[in-house]
Amino acid sequence: GASVVALSYEDAERAGLKPARLNYDQQVDTANGIVKAAPITLDRVVVEGIEVRNVEGMVMRKGTMRGSLLGMSFLRRLQGFRVEYGALYLKN
């Protein structure tokens, strides 16, 4: 899984992060090979009412990936989480 929250360029745009202004200088090893990404700190990430602040993340270059990944930089800050029958359950 992803070490940090990984946002697609398009999702970063929708979130108002202005990805065109970011510096894509971090090399990232993905399932599709090595790509460049822009490191960021997200002020807050909210999933199903669970909020975590100051979350390490990255924005991928435009067209690099579809959708975004909820990485361990978010998940490890919860009290717990589990995956059961393809569903992710979060505990705060």
Side-chain angles (χ1 to χ4, degrees):
S3 301
V4 300
V5 173
L7 297 176
S8 69
Y9 186 98
E10 295 77 12
D11 285 347
E13 264 185 329
R14 281 189 282 278
L17 297 175
K18 299 184 171 117
R21 296 182 181 174
L22 298 176
N23 186 12
Y24 295 84
D25 63 352
Q26 184 173 344
Q27 190 167 299
V28 179
D29 192 8
T30 72
N32 294 321
I34 296 172
V35 297
K36 293 281 190 165
I40 58 170
T41 299
L42 299 160
D43 292 336
R44 66 188 188 117
V45 176
V46 182
V47 177
E48 294 291 322
I50 297 173
E51 180 177 314
V52 177
R53 294 197 164 272
N54 300 314
V55 178
E56 182 184 359
M58 68 178 70
V59 175
M60 309 305 284
R61 284 188 185 270
K62 193 170 193 172
T64 303
M65 65 186 255
R66 285 188 220 159
S68 295
L69 301 173
L70 187 61
M72 290 304 297
S73 60
F74 174 86
L75 294 172
R76 73 172 168 253
R77 298 193 35 211
L78 303 177
Q79 285 185 6
F81 67 92
R82 72 182 195 284
V83 178
E84 219 172 85
Y85 301 107
L88 175 63
Y89 297 91
L90 307 175
K91 182 178 180 185
N92 193 20

